[in-house]
Amino acid sequence: MNTSAAPTTTSEADLIARLPAGFRWGVATSAYQIEGAVDVDGRTPSIWDTFCRVPGAVHNGDNGDVACEHYTRMPSDVALIKDLGLDTYRFSVSWTRVQPHGTGGVNPAGIAFYDRLVDELLAQGIDPWVTLYHWDLPQELEDAGGWPVRDTAYRFADYSMLVFDALSDRVDTWTTLNEPWCSAMLGYAYGAHAPGKQDYPAAVAAVHHLLLGHGLATERMREAAPRKLDIGITLNAATAYPASDLEPDLEAARRADGMGARLYLDPLVHGRYPADVIADLAQQGISLPVEDGDLATISAPIDVLGINYYFSQKFTGFAEDGSTVDAAGLPISRTLPLDRPRTAMDWEIVPEGFTDLLVRISQDYPGLPMVITENGAAFDDVPDDSGFVADEGRTAYFTSHLAAVATAIEQGADIRGYLAWSLLDNFEWAYGYEKRFGIVRVDYETQARIPKQSALYLKELAEQHRAR
């Protein structure tokens, strides 16, 4: 078995070697993608349990019923993180495992799993990082209207406190939401993710209520915190490059940046939605359902901003025929290739977009520490006879993106750590089990875990960093 790490260029290696002292090295997962045990110990269906049963919604009809059996294999998975020399583990909590109906009291058997997980991590010297919501809304709350309905924000805050009350004596870092853009847009506008709706005004309402839920939970956790804790949110963001300096291209990039990044960052940090995005939505007859006091709640101070990055894009405001408006009179926006290599997700590999994004956030939203809470790539892994995967493409991806992070730090960005996505091959949402992001291969027939070349590479980097 070849366990050597892929070679790096001198400049990339030097950049990574200069990452600051105290920099976190870790991995991330989410509950529905790895836990399995969907009907065990009182857990009830989430929107993803339901969505997976919709014909054609998920590749191959796959679902998370078994996934990686993390619910029963958790101690050995924690030991694996320890063996890889990583110091931080970001995991999400299954809402319906802790609060089966989306309302009411805590489910003792459900919260007990996360209680054991936190204890196991601490016993191994690994810092637990809790994400309260990673897309698995209780189906009962979706039946009542889901995130487009204001009440869901309050239900989320109540659920958050059930988890916080149980674990805040030992967990120092808390993330409210993972990627609210995906929850709102993929779930309610484009129908690609659970609950599979296609209602753009409802998706915009969901954006606001997700952010409101974040703010309500943040305020309550801050008030109840037993000591100084780090509370934040994780956003997926990218750099939107204009195809040219022509006005339609500049405007297309502005609109993409507005809906993808500033619609979330501006209210979280500045307590207001960006005026240009409000105007863009008004052009479509859509408004955000803001009530008095909402923006003050949403902008409750946070201690850390999680950034998930996978790719950047180039935008044009011209249709192929040269027109700049569509049949409804709305501006054209479409993507063009950057002519970069692509991952198995067909995402272009753009590490300099990562640097540009991180530096831009540090300049436009100063004083906000960042941690890379997800970054990684799916490739078509080919195991050898022993099951080992020499994933040179993924290893090179980590190299280029860690160097991009280091470059951003040297340009003034305050970035405290890097959590690779993901620890394990797992249920990749609408792609089912076809796409593999793990640094550890999972044989889904036997549930055997085998660290890939990329895992050994990250272990080597973490050990070298600590040794300095």
Side-chain angles (χ1 to χ4, degrees), residues 20 139 214 406 464:
Q139 184 60 45
H214 154 80
Q464 290 175 348

Side-chain angles (χ1 to χ4, degrees), residues 12-342:
E12 287 175 335
D14 288 346
L15 283 165
I16 295 169
R18 294 200 296 267
L19 286 167
F23 192 79
R24 289 177 182 258
W25 295 88
V27 282
T29 65
S30 86
Y32 189 75
Q33 292 181 272
I34 67 168
E35 283 182 1
V38 296
D39 56 358
V40 170
D41 292 337
R43 184 190 179 280
T44 59
S46 73
I47 55 175
W48 272 96
D49 296 278
T50 302
F51 189 66
C52 288
R53 267 65 188 180
V54 176
V58 176
H59 174 77
N60 198 42
D62 291 341
N63 59 61
D65 290 5
V66 175
C68 303
E69 294 184 347
H70 177 70
Y71 191 72
T72 55
R73 297 172 180 266
M74 177 270 291
S76 60
D77 286 341
V78 172
L80 179 57
I81 300 171
K82 174 69 171 179
D83 289 344
L84 293 177
L86 303 173
D87 55 50
T88 302
Y89 177 48
R90 174 179 175 250
F91 62 92
S92 80
V93 175
S94 166
W95 188 337
T96 60
R97 203 179 291 287
V98 168
Q99 190 188 43
H101 303 288
T103 59
V106 71
N107 171 27
I111 197 65
F113 169 72
Y114 300 103
D115 192 73
R116 295 192 303 273
L117 171 58
V118 168
D119 284 348
E120 193 74 29
L121 289 165
L122 293 173
Q124 296 285 1
I126 301 166
D127 188 22
W129 181 315
V130 169
T131 294
L132 289 162
Y133 184 74
H134 198 128
W135 308 352
D136 48 358
L137 185 72
Q139 184 60 45
E140 290 187 42
L141 292 186
E142 178 58 32
D143 292 342
W147 286 111
V149 174
R150 184 179 178 88
D151 185 63
T152 305
Y154 294 91
R155 302 289 71 75
F156 171 72
D158 290 345
Y159 148 72
S160 297
M161 292 309 298
L162 297 179
V163 183
F164 190 79
D165 289 345
L167 304 180
S168 60
D169 60 328
R170 286 155 292 155
V171 174
D172 293 333
T173 310
W174 294 78
T175 295
T176 53
L177 307 175
N178 179 77
E179 301 183 351
W181 181 92
C182 291
S183 296
M185 293 298 157
L186 296 182
Y188 292 98
Y190 308 132
H193 279 188
K197 305 291 179 62
Q198 297 184 49
D199 182 339
Y200 199 77
V204 172
V207 169
H208 180 67
H209 297 142
L210 283 154
L211 292 175
L212 179 61
H214 154 80
L216 292 167
T218 298
E219 288 180 335
R220 290 178 62 179
M221 290 191 291
R222 187 82 66 200
E223 183 177 355
R227 62 191 184 287
K228 174 66 173 73
L229 301 177
D230 289 332
I231 301 172
I233 187 171
T234 282
L235 305 179
N236 60 308
T239 300
Y241 294 106
S244 76
D245 290 334
L246 295 175
E247 188 66 19
D249 289 344
L250 295 172
E251 278 291 287
R254 177 197 62 77
R255 289 191 297 273
D257 178 67
M259 287 301 297
R262 291 183 290 113
L263 183 62
Y264 303 88
L265 283 163
D266 276 26
L268 286 166
V269 178
H270 299 316
R272 62 179 184 269
Y273 284 110
D276 64 310
V277 176
I278 292 175
D280 291 340
L281 291 170
Q283 192 176 9
Q284 303 171 66
I286 300 171
S287 61
L288 288 151
V290 180
E291 296 188 8
D292 289 346
D294 284 2
L295 288 167
T297 295
I298 291 169
S299 60
I302 58 176
D303 307 292
V304 60
L305 174 66
I307 294 293
N308 294 355
Y309 177 86
Y310 292 97
F311 58 89
S312 290
Q313 293 178 303
K314 181 167 69 174
F315 289 86
T316 181
F318 293 95
E320 291 184 3
D321 64 4
S323 60
T324 57
V325 296
D326 62 18
L330 296 173
I332 296 289
S333 288
R334 61 190 184 95
T335 60
L336 296 175
L338 287 161
D339 298 324
R340 301 300 178 81
R342 295 174 182 262

